[in-house]
């Protein structure tokens, strides 16, 4: 570490930053990590972890209703928002403590301050004004909700950040956006008894997902009572004399709600980071440009996770961090593999998916076999709930490889994780066909769809 204060300085205490700092320190490197807010990052503090807890909370009203069909008599039920928020806060505090403990045990120095680049090998600590140096610098500051500042009245709206800590549960909410954050929160708030409207400029929600998953979820959400307005946007937000908010839409509609949530994408959190001072290049969205090994155009500076705008998922940031460690500290050049990433939308019902949608696959392959099943899940037979599970396999007819797998239904996310291994390994439809089913399960449908539902040749269904 000749001439430097640290071997590695990490800016950002989220999943990618903490992993790279902790592992590097455990290898004997002198490491410091700076975080201006709380350790754990978006995922732990204001993202996937509290969101999943809220998803669980929002499902109980249906569980209580379903119980009657199975012989249970459930008494009067009430929901208390402050109790949920307090329980969520306790769990987040526990997880943050584990992140800190892991760093401390590995020997990393924890700095509770905003840090900005002062040069290719130097960092300014804003709390003290001190400048420290490092042989290598990792930027892992993540992203932040797009405030949609061009929208008149945007300052009256909330983002997903504030949604977790509202003082009281709104009677009605309008959510702008059609991505997974908007869709998940629409289901959460509706499940907690809030009158919920989702407004989206596109023709259908979840634009990057397979059309059967998108359409199936849309129908299920509307059947539950969630109002979905497509081909429309909010053009202005104002506050009435009664304190409620009024959203005026492009199509001439007026939506009244207690809260309006903007879920219109996330931006890399790079403003004021000192990138220009260090000479680090960014793209038009402010994302840090990196090569295949997460190195910026400045050889001593690396970037991981959402700040690079490659794939905005927590496990991806962790994977990129481990590849950085292998490359820089284990003499084993390893490039992050962003292919075949399994993911889930924790809507109600869930979507679990890995690989190509039918639309994407049709652009890549001349001949596809599509296997599709739609059925009523066993749990719904006694509860009387009118819901459907959809399962879909996309197969390249030329070599029989399964190039996409998509599920809409209970535990779809859990199934997607296992399917991720299967598709990553390059399994064929024949491998699925010779695999014994686990009965009775919903997942058995994945290995019992023996005949294609239809084919897609040169982009046309036949």
């Amino acid at each position: 570490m000749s001439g430097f204060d640290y071997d590695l300085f990490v800016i950002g205490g989220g999943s990618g930053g903490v992993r790279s700092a902790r592992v590097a320190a455990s290898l004997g490197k002198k490491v410091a990590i700076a975080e201006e807010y709380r350790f754990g990052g978006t995922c732990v503090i204001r993202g996937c972890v509290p969101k999943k807890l809220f998803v669980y909370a929002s499902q109980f009203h249906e569980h209580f209703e379903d119980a009657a069909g199975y012989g249970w008599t459930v008494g009067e039920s009430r929901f208390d928002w402050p109790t949920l928020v307090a329980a969520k806060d306790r769990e987040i505090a526990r997880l943050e403590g584990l992140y800190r403990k892991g760093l401390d045990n590995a020997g990393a120095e924890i700095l509770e301050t905003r840090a900005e680049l002062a040069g290719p090998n130097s960092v300014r600590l804003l709390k003290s004004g001190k400048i420290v140096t490092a042989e290598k610098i990792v930027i892992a500051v993540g992203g932040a909700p797009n405030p949609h500042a061009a929208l008149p009245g945007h300052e009256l709206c909330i983002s997903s950040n504030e949604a977790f800590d509202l003082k009281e549960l709104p009677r009605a909410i309008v959510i702008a956006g059609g991505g997974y954050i908007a869709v998940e929160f629409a289901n959460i708030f509706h499940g907690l008894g809030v009158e919920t409207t989702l407004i989206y400029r596109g023709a259908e929600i979840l634009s990057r997902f397979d059309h059967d998953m998108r359409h199936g979820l849309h129908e299920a959400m509307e059947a539950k009572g969630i109002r979905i307005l497509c081909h429309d946007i909010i053009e202005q937000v104002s506050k009435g004399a009664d304190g409620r908010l009024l959203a005026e839409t492009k199509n001439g509609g007026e939506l009244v709600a207690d809260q309006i949530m903007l879920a219109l994408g996330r931006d890399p959190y790079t403003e004021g980071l000192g990138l220009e001072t260090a000479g680090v290049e960014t793209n038009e969205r402010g994302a840090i440009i990196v090569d295949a090994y997460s190195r910026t155009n400045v050889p001593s500076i690396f970037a991981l996770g959402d700040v690079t705008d490659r794939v905005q998922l927590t496990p991806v940031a962790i994977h990129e961090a481990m590849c950085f460690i292998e490359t820089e500290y284990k003499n084993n050049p390893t490039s992050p593999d962003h292919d075949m990433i399994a993911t889930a939308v924790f809507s109600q019902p869930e979507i679990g998916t890995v690989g190509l949608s039918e639309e994407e696959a049709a652009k890549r392959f001349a001949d596809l076999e599509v296997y599709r099943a739609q059925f009523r899940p066993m749990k719904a037979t006694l509860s009387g709930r009118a819901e459907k599970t959809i399962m879909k396999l996309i197969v390249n007819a030329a070599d029989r490889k399964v190039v996409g797998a998509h599920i809409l239904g209970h535990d779809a996310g859990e199934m997607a994780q296992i399917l991720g291994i299967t598709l990553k390994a390059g399994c064929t439809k024949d491998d699925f066909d010779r695999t014994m089913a686990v009965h009775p399960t919903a997942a058995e449908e994945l290995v019992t769809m023996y005949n294609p539902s239809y084919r897609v040749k040169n982009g046309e269904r036949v």
Side-chain angles (χ1 to χ4, degrees), residues 138-376:
V138 162
I139 302 172
V141 295
N146 185 327
H148 207 50
L151 172 68
H154 73 276
E155 68 280 358
L156 300 171
C157 304
I158 63 171
S159 71
S160 56
N161 287 357
E162 294 78 37
F164 292 114
D165 297 292
L166 296 173
K167 297 299 181 184
E168 59 184 25
L169 191 66
R171 289 169 293 167
I173 190 169
V174 173
I175 300 176
Y180 74 93
I181 294 176
V183 167
E184 289 173 340
F185 272 100
N187 282 274
I188 287 170
F189 279 112
H190 174 265
L192 296 178
V194 179
E195 180 185 319
T196 303
T197 300
L198 185 70
I199 182 168
Y200 178 52
R201 65 182 178 181
E204 185 59 279
I205 58 175
L206 298 174
S207 61
R208 298 180 183 179
F209 287 75
D210 185 271
H211 68 86
D212 277 321
M213 303 297 107
R214 301 165 67 196
H215 184 65
L217 178 59
H218 186 140
E219 286 189 335
M221 288 173 63
E222 288 194 323
K224 290 174 184 287
I226 298 171
R227 184 183 182 192
I228 300 177
L229 305 175
C230 290
H231 293 297
D232 205 356
I233 60 172
I234 297 174
E235 290 198 323
Q236 181 172 319
V237 177
S238 59
K239 180 177 285 190
D242 59 357
R244 303 192 83 195
L245 300 178
L246 172 66
E248 300 175 39
T249 76
K250 183 179 180 180
N251 292 344
E254 292 187 344
L255 305 173
V256 178
D258 303 292
Q259 296 285 353
I260 295 176
M261 176 178 162
L262 304 181
L264 299 167
R266 294 176 62 83
D267 299 326
Y269 186 53
T270 53
E271 187 175 352
L273 196 56
L275 299 177
E276 302 87 352
T277 302
V280 176
E281 294 180 354
T282 59
N283 66 14
E284 66 281 355
R285 296 191 65 245
I288 297 175
I289 300 170
V290 294
D291 66 11
Y293 298 94
S294 299
R295 182 182 285 106
T296 71
N297 62 298
V298 179
S300 57
I301 300 177
F302 301 76
L304 309 171
D306 289 5
V307 76
T308 67
D309 204 24
R310 287 178 285 185
V311 180
Q312 295 184 9
L313 293 170
T314 298
V316 173
I318 294 172
H319 173 65
E320 289 169 0
M322 295 307 296
C323 290
F324 162 76
I325 293 293
E326 288 291 326
T327 301
E328 297 302 315
Y329 294 126
K330 294 189 176 181
N331 196 30
N332 178 31
T334 305
S335 175
D337 183 356
H338 295 114
D339 189 39
M340 286 287 183
I341 298 172
T343 190
V345 179
F346 293 105
S347 49
Q348 299 172 45
E350 287 180 12
I351 291 176
T353 182
V354 60
L356 303 176
S357 67
E358 179 182 327
E359 297 86 342
E360 291 172 323
K363 294 175 183 177
R364 295 196 194 185
F365 304 106
D367 189 3
L368 296 177
E369 295 177 350
V370 179
Y371 298 76
R372 185 186 186 280
Q374 180 171 318
F375 55 93
R376 191 180 189 189

Side-chain angles (χ1 to χ4, degrees), residues 1-14:
M1 192 187 72
S2 69
F4 296 108
D5 297 318
Y6 300 99
D7 295 311
L8 174 66
F9 194 101
V10 179
I11 304 176

